[in-house]
Amino acid sequence: MNKCGRRDFLRKSAFGTLAFTIVPRHVLGGQGYTPPSDELTKGIIGVGGMGRGHIEYEGTRVLAVCDVDKKHLDEAIALAGGNVTGYHDFRELLARPDIDIVHIATPPHWHGIISKMAAEAGKDIWCEKPMTRTIGEGIKVVEAVQKFGRMFRLNTWFRFKDEFYGLGTTVKPLKKLIDSGALGWPLKVTVSGVTGFDWKFYWTGVHNLQPVPVPEELDYNFWLGPAPFKPYNPERVHSKFRGYWDYDGGGLGDMGQHYLDPVQYLLSKDNTGPVSVEIDAPQQHYDAVGTWRRITYTYEDGCKIILDGENRDKDAAYIEGPHGKVFKGFKSDIKNVDKLIESLPDPEPQIVTFSESVVTRKKFALNESNGHRSCSIVNLGVIALRLGRDLKYNPVLQQFIDDDAANRLISQPMSDPWKI
Amino acid sequence: MKVKNILIVILDLMMLFPAAYSQDKKTLETNVAELLSQFPAKDVPSTDKLMQEMISLGEKGLMMICDQIIPPGTGDDTKPRFGVESLSRFLSRKGMENDRVVWEDVLLKQISSKTDNQVKDFFMKQLHLIGGEKSVRALKSYALDKEICTSSVAAITAIGGKAAEDVLADLLRNKELPCAAAVMNGLAVMNSQVAVNEYISWASDNNSDIKASAYAALARSRSPLAYPVLLNAATESRFRWEPTGSVSALLTYAQFAGAYGDIETMDEICNLLIKECNDELTSQNKTAAQKIYKMYHGGGINEKEIPGAEYNLTPEEKSEGFVSLFNGRNLDSWTGDKTAYVVEDGMIVIRPDKGSGGNLYTNSEYSDFIFRFEFQLTPAANNGLGIRAPLQGDAAYVGMEIQILDNTAQEYATLQPYQYHGSVYGVIPAKRDYLNPVGEWNYEEVYAKGTKIRITLNGTVIVDGDIADARDNGTMDHRDHPGLKNTSGHIGFLGHGSVVRFRNIRVKDISDQ
């Protein structure tokens, strides 16, 4: 089969006959076997610890890896084995005609640029969280992914699978309960140690970093890319970057989208966002991420999300409405809540295997659109923390109200020559 | 005697002043040190309080703090950096304009007097939030310095506005400009049209990053001069993706052409890409071209972009008593011109070419209600939302018409205020400029309770009025509006010959509340 028709073939064949998981790879031939030429292929951009994990993601064959750190690149090539090509510049990987899916596991300050270019290059995209470093970059990614008809998956998953931290179950029974109206409306969600979540405040940065020579294996200027220049220090890069505003947003950046994306789903807010954000936090440093005590988001209809960073609300329910509450471990004050949930209809089915999305061209459960909205909550918090004030937001226009400076932070200029 | 006295006074002053000055300076130094020792503050109120204290140190005190900023690696300046950064953020809020001007001056003095580029850069960063036109002009010269160019251009871009646009455009004329890509990126964000010839000249640069920025800026310039350059670049790339993004730029150019009424050019580009982009390496461009084309020629947007639960009410709407008026599949809840109004991809679309382009009304009548819907305009589109309207007659007069209009179209430039989008037609004018760009979805809520009418567009209240006065004493348009007396009637879409799409239509009866 020639290269040009390969993806079309995959698309046209019934999805069920493609064996991503049905038959182990070592069973050659026979029904359900996918010959390598018909298998979906991927390239991974950013192969630090996180990106190397993507090599193993099932259902696809890795053809290329890319990193601006030679050590990372060599490790990834050795780990992937076979005919895997290593790249220094992600744009060379994007230009390859035989790659179907691009995985983006760089630090967040690169997610927007690479996602948009990958969409323009006709790739489907599997991107790490948080989706983008600014709200403006998120808007651009949504636009490009939809314009070029690409499939996008954000790499968090609690809205459709796995035990959701303190809840002790998946979010599905809670979604059923909320949609039935049994808890009433509006709802208040508290995300804290009390309700079973950890804000990971160890992701705070170090003040007054001293310049250190750049190690030979690292192309530090390329690593910075769109970020403003600051002298190299190992604290900034690799497993430490979350502690610095230029690249991420600390524990809020790391865990925020894991914790908040399912909340958007539970509250049926996938097409919108909060109208205000209030903060209680110490004075923030210009470079190093600091801690915070409390971030409160309010939606137009009165629903609230409270990020309680110091476990102040000792008896907080995870989710609370006028008619009922659900606590950590799915304890509830609603009588026979299990029976009630059993009697309720299931939520809308979702596509939870990215290969299925890629082949059928149907949106993945967590895609560019709802992913951008949950990432915006993280970024609203970051902007309020950094400005040191409460903010009002119009989620339809995606702009702050009466705050020109906050609006200057929606899209931030990038270092020469990068753009999105 | 007189002269002698004066001399004595002068001598006294000369004796006193240095002492007083050094005394003041010492006090100021103590105050500065005392303030800095309190950083970082524990919460927002105490940060704000420290910032007020910092402002009261005056220009000298602020300069003293700024002078403590040193190049990275030469000592610990954590505390003054806390102070400078926090003050910029504090002064960036509304109502701080006067102190902001003083601070801007201090920062500009620091930028010009410091020699280390890392220190200059730190002060330039502050201008991202609080800089104005004065900063833009002051930053210009640094854009020609290779070492600090990107910091300067980033600050100018962040400040934005007409002054920034002019400065960036002027910089671009310099062939030796060290960060031309960043300058063009800044101009592209502003959709600037002032430096098209310079874009074209930089587009022939050998550096592919500079080319990429030039193409992106050309794409948003809407200039006829840009078209052949982009077309040529995309053709040379055989419509395949490459790092200069030429095809993507051509598509953006088509989108802008369409949005500003040059449908012919938009058609030409889209048709070319639909024809040429048929293989594995180019099909995404065909998809994009088809989407842009369909925005102006119908066919609906791709269904997969409409979330599945679009027609379902949210739980809060359910509990509040909203009902859906459109299930995404048929017009069962509606009456009227069902030839022109058709269901496509989960939307109600009015296609005037298929029928008279008349009206589509709800089966039921409503008196007091909250009506929510989304609509998508095409260029120069005109429609209207009839409320408390009978099924016959001109709803604008025998009922009420809430205008639905592409305010940006040239042909509507000289309408009366009460004729623009959201106005109670002829009766109450609406605030303008809150429509999303043509082709994007808008979210509107109409609240009607007795004589009170409130229209909320994309989250902003654009009408909040009372029709009682107009009903009793005459309307702004001096026409007869007997419909203002209606207490009940149908809600409907009023066709005026253009394509408009509607979705997500919900209503709540509040006549008992």
Side-chain angles (χ1 to χ4, degrees), chain A residues 199-337:
Chain A
W199 280 112
K200 297 197 174 173
F201 283 131
Y202 52 78
W203 287 127
T204 41
V206 178
H207 298 164
N208 195 35
L209 284 181
Q210 299 302 297
V212 166
V214 182
E216 206 182 315
E217 66 271 14
L218 178 66
D219 183 346
Y220 181 56
N221 275 333
F222 207 160
W223 186 93
L224 286 172
F229 176 79
K230 293 208 172 104
Y232 174 79
N233 183 294
E235 280 291 324
R236 293 193 177 281
V237 301
H238 298 349
S239 62
K240 302 290 186 69
F241 64 80
R242 293 197 197 281
Y244 301 87
W245 297 116
D246 283 350
Y247 328 114
D248 201 350
L252 184 61
D254 183 25
M255 300 312 284
Q257 220 173 349
H258 275 321
Y259 297 168
L260 297 171
D261 179 72
V263 176
Q264 284 270 105
Y265 170 66
L266 289 169
L267 300 178
S268 300
K269 301 295 188 195
D270 278 338
N271 294 320
T272 184
V275 294
S276 76
V277 49
E278 294 157 274
I279 51 149
D280 174 7
Q283 187 180 8
Q284 295 293 318
H285 189 250
Y286 78 102
D287 180 36
V289 177
T291 60
W292 41 267
R293 284 180 291 273
R294 199 177 182 85
I295 306 175
T296 306
Y297 300 94
T298 308
Y299 292 86
E300 196 176 19
D301 61 3
C303 283
K304 276 184 191 296
I305 308 175
I306 290 159
L307 315 186
D308 179 358
E310 53 176 12
N311 305 325
R312 191 189 303 166
D313 304 339
K314 297 282 176 233
D315 305 318
Y318 172 60
I319 190 156
E320 175 181 346
H323 305 139
K325 301 176 185 179
V326 175
F327 295 86
K328 183 177 170 181
F330 217 97
K331 295 192 185 71
S332 176
D333 59 350
I334 295 177
K335 275 185 195 151
N336 297 322
V337 71

Side-chain angles (χ1 to χ4, degrees), chain B residues 336-352:
Chain B
D337 187 349
K338 292 192 184 179
T339 319
Y341 288 84
V342 292
V343 177
E344 284 177 8
D345 295 336
M347 300 172 285
I348 296 178
V349 185
I350 170 171
R351 297 203 167 285

Side-chain angles (χ1 to χ4, degrees), chain B residues 38 76 126 223 380 449 485:
Chain B
Q38 296 177 65
D76 188 351
Q126 310 305 316
S223 164
K449 178 81 181 163
K485 295 192 176 72

Side-chain angles (χ1 to χ4, degrees), chain A residues 7 146 283 293 386 389, chain B residues 41-42 86 89 280 291:
Chain A
R7 253 192 286 169
Q146 295 182 351
Q283 187 180 8
R293 284 180 291 273
R386 297 194 67 188
R389 58 177 174 265
Chain B
K42 66 179 194 317
S86 293
R89 296 178 187 284
E280 189 80 337
K291 284 194 181 181

Side-chain angles (χ1 to χ4, degrees), chain A residues 168-183:
Chain A
T169 73
T170 63
V171 298
K172 187 173 162 187
L174 188 54
K175 175 71 175 159
K176 288 167 70 169
L177 189 64
I178 290 168
D179 280 357
S180 74
L183 299 179

Side-chain angles (χ1 to χ4, degrees), chain A residues 3-8 11 90-98 100 116-123 140 143 145-151 175 178-181 184-186 207-211 228-231 245-246 266-271 279-288 293 300-301 303 348 360-363 368-369 383-390 394-397 401-406 408-409 411-420, chain B residues 38-44 47-48 50-51 72-78 81-83 85-86 89-94 118 121-122 125-132 150 153-155 157-160 178-183 185 208-210 212-213 216 220 241-245 247-248 251-252 255 278-281 283-285 287-289 291-292 304-310 312 314-316 318-320 434-436 440-443 456-460:
Chain A
K3 249 187 228 162
C4 287
R6 197 177 54 81
R7 253 192 286 169
D8 283 342
R11 217 158 286 160
F90 68 93
R91 292 168 293 192
E92 287 173 34
L93 185 151
L94 292 183
R96 267 182 73 150
D98 53 349
D100 301 316
K116 179 167 177 270
M117 272 200 211
E120 291 170 347
K123 307 301 183 192
K140 294 277 189 178
E143 210 177 83
V145 165
Q146 295 182 351
K147 180 157 128 188
F148 291 94
R150 308 329 302 163
M151 292 294 116
K175 175 71 175 159
I178 290 168
D179 280 357
S180 74
W185 208 270
H207 298 164
N208 195 35
L209 284 181
Q210 299 302 297
F229 176 79
K230 293 208 172 104
W245 297 116
D246 283 350
L266 289 169
L267 300 178
S268 300
K269 301 295 188 195
D270 278 338
N271 294 320
I279 51 149
D280 174 7
Q283 187 180 8
Q284 295 293 318
H285 189 250
Y286 78 102
D287 180 36
R293 284 180 291 273
E300 196 176 19
D301 61 3
C303 283
E348 288 284 312
T360 62
R361 308 315 287 171
K362 289 191 178 130
K363 266 187 185 302
E368 75 287 351
S369 186
I383 293 174
L385 281 174
R386 297 194 67 188
L387 285 177
R389 58 177 174 265
D390 301 341
N394 179 333
V396 181
L397 296 177
I401 297 164
D402 270 349
D403 198 320
D404 294 341
R408 286 186 185 181
L409 296 175
S411 300
Q412 297 168 26
M414 293 177 170
S415 284
D416 184 78
W418 298 101
K419 64 178 163 57
I420 181 162
Chain B
Q38 296 177 65
F39 294 148
K42 66 179 194 317
D43 56 21
V44 173
T47 309
D48 289 357
L50 291 177
M51 289 307 113
T74 60
D76 188 351
D77 60 354
T78 305
R81 281 191 189 240
F82 258 117
E85 180 82 1
S86 293
R89 296 178 187 284
F90 181 74
L91 293 177
S92 74
R93 71 184 68 187
K94 215 178 167 182
Q118 286 287 302
D121 171 80
F122 177 71
K125 290 266 160 50
Q126 310 305 316
L127 299 174
H128 285 224
L129 284 181
I130 63 106
T150 193
V153 173
T157 304
I159 295 165
C179 47
V183 171
N185 295 343
S208 68
D209 289 327
I210 292 178
S213 295
R220 307 174 82 87
W241 182 84
E242 30 79 44
T244 67
V247 186
S248 176
L251 279 160
T252 305
Q255 242 173 317
N278 287 307
D279 66 10
E280 189 80 337
L281 292 167
S283 61
Q284 75 277 14
N285 300 321
T287 306
K291 284 194 181 181
I292 296 166
K304 61 177 174 270
E305 279 178 28
I306 303 168
E310 201 76 14
N312 300 332
T314 61
E316 72 268 34
K318 264 188 228 165
S319 66
E320 284 173 9
Y434 292 96
L435 281 165
N436 285 328
E440 288 182 20
W441 286 95
N442 294 279
Y443 179 97
T456 310
L457 173 64
N458 297 323
T460 304

